Amino acid sequence: MHEIAVLPGDGIGHEIMEEAIKVINTVEKRFNIAFKLNHALVGGAAWDKYRKHLPEETLDICEKSNAILFGAVGGPVKEQTSSKWCGTEVNALLGLRKHFGLYANLRPAKLYPALAFASSLRDDIAKEGFDLLVVRELTGGIYFGKPKGRMGKGEDEYAFDTMIYKRGEIKRIAQVAFKAARNRRRKVTSIDKANVLTTMVLWREVVDDIAKEYPDIEYEPMYVDNAAMQLTRNPKKFDVILCGNLFGDILSDEAAAITGSLGMSPSASLSEGNFGMYEPSGGSAQDIAGKGIANPIAQILSTAMMLRYSFDMNEEANSIENAVDKVLIDGYRTPDIIQKRMKKVNTKEMGTLIAGNI
Ligand code: NAD
């Protein structure tokens, strides 16, 4: 039995998760497979019952499942100092990443030509569309390197962080990127700053070696400053972008921003083996929560990623992605991506349309 821990969380999390479940139920019927959905609380919703953002009960449910489908956590910004919301994201999200050793973060960024108007890119670049995948190392690098701290006083006060990568950590994430490229357009661009940082010299050496194991994949190393520029000038040139934690944080947000809407951006965080956590890149969107107008596409595409990476169900994942393409081409839009002459739909209607095209 394929078991999925379903953690809707807060705000729009519930609304968009309902549509993802609709899609899962359709995939079950269409492909004659069965999933067991194990529901659990996280974030502010868990606080109300357990006085914890990531209670043991939820961790137990995640542990007995093969994958976690996560919605979003967090409360209204003006209430974030209250005990219910204070630290929600850190406790819930980082807690799950740490507990399950989710070291590989995969964020596809796709600009559908039909949605070119929503992109911040220049019209002539946007109308070409693009489809790339950022593979970011998530548990190492400068965010976690020790020592870090502050010393000294007055004008001599200083602060420091340590950028550190072990050979094994680089190998592990590079393998994820090259394998992912085999299911895509077979190209990996590895991002570094090997002209300045010693850590990045090792990064490049290791990735150069791994690339030799994948002669079928086109490989190109690129400095991070150039990559940031190429993303806005010629995003079509990228297929898989491989990065360490710091550069991946920045470039994956840049890539999501040029697609136009947060409601379209899915993500996967994988650990060793097939376990993973799948979630939209956006948050709990308190400004629209409860109105039934959130875009469920990021949650639905996260579900497709879950089928592909945790359950090895490529055909099923493709059928969901193709259904999303079809509904967009047919002109259906939630308010965040609405445009003149398009058909406006709400969260539930969008979910039903996508499920109907699977
Ligand atoms: P947000 O991502 O929730 O919203 C930013 C903007 O994008 C809002 O205008 C929102 O309406 C819009 N948006 C996001 N997802 C959308 C969707 N599916 N459909 C349509 N529009 C969508 O960021 P925020 O407003 O800065 O944060 C709200 C709360 O979410 C905060 O508590 C924050 O800490 C939390 N947060 C959680 C996560 C997470 O759970 N992974 C990520 C980011 C922020």
Side-chain angles (χ1 to χ4, degrees), residues 148-160:
K148 56 170 73 214
R150 284 172 74 151
M151 308 278 279
K153 283 204 171 92
E155 295 305 305
D156 289 329
E157 185 179 5
Y158 61 97
F160 53 96

Side-chain angles (χ1 to χ4, degrees), residues 3-9 13 16-24 35-42 58 61-62 65-72 96 266-268 275-280 296 298-307 310-311 320:
E3 298 206 29
I4 304 168
V6 176
L7 277 52
I16 55 180
M17 187 64 85
E18 255 180 54
E19 303 316 305
I21 293 174
K22 205 180 264 175
V23 163
I24 292 173
F35 294 101
K36 183 163 182 287
L37 305 184
N38 303 317
H39 295 264
L41 297 172
V42 70
T58 298
I61 285 175
C62 293
S65 305
N66 306 101
I68 303 170
L69 190 58
F70 189 97
L96 282 163
S267 81
F275 191 86
M277 180 162 99
Y278 302 85
E279 55 172 324
Q299 188 78 60
I300 290 171
L301 291 176
S302 301
T303 308
M305 292 186 85
M306 175 182 75
L307 298 189
S310 281
F311 297 107
I320 297 175

Side-chain angles (χ1 to χ4, degrees), residues 300-357:
I300 290 171
L301 291 176
S302 301
T303 308
M305 292 186 85
M306 175 182 75
L307 298 189
R308 176 169 292 121
Y309 292 105
S310 281
F311 297 107
D312 225 354
M313 297 179 181
N314 261 318
E315 196 190 340
E316 292 80 351
N318 287 337
S319 77
I320 297 175
E321 288 161 357
N322 292 339
V324 170
D325 282 355
K326 175 78 171 53
V327 169
L328 291 174
I329 289 167
D330 287 349
Y332 294 100
R333 303 281 192 274
T334 43
D336 55 312
I337 50 171
I338 193 72
Q339 200 190 4
K340 271 188 205 151
R341 292 189 295 280
M342 296 292 152
K343 293 163 247 183
K344 191 165 165 183
V345 292
N346 61 27
T347 311
K348 282 186 192 302
E349 287 163 338
M350 182 56 102
T352 305
L353 281 163
I354 294 169
N357 275 287

Side-chain angles (χ1 to χ4, degrees), residues 10 12 16 70-77 80 85 88-89 92-93 97 261-265 267 277 279-289 293-299 334-337 347:
D10 307 313
I12 62 163
I16 55 180
F70 189 97
V73 292
V77 174
Q80 289 204 353
W85 299 117
T88 325
E89 263 184 274
L93 274 172
R97 278 182 199 163
S261 169
L262 268 178
M264 303 287 300
S265 284
S267 81
M277 180 162 99
E279 55 172 324
S281 301
S284 56
Q286 296 294 333
D287 53 338
I288 55 166
I293 56 168
N295 187 345
I297 291 180
Q299 188 78 60
T334 43
D336 55 312
I337 50 171
T347 311

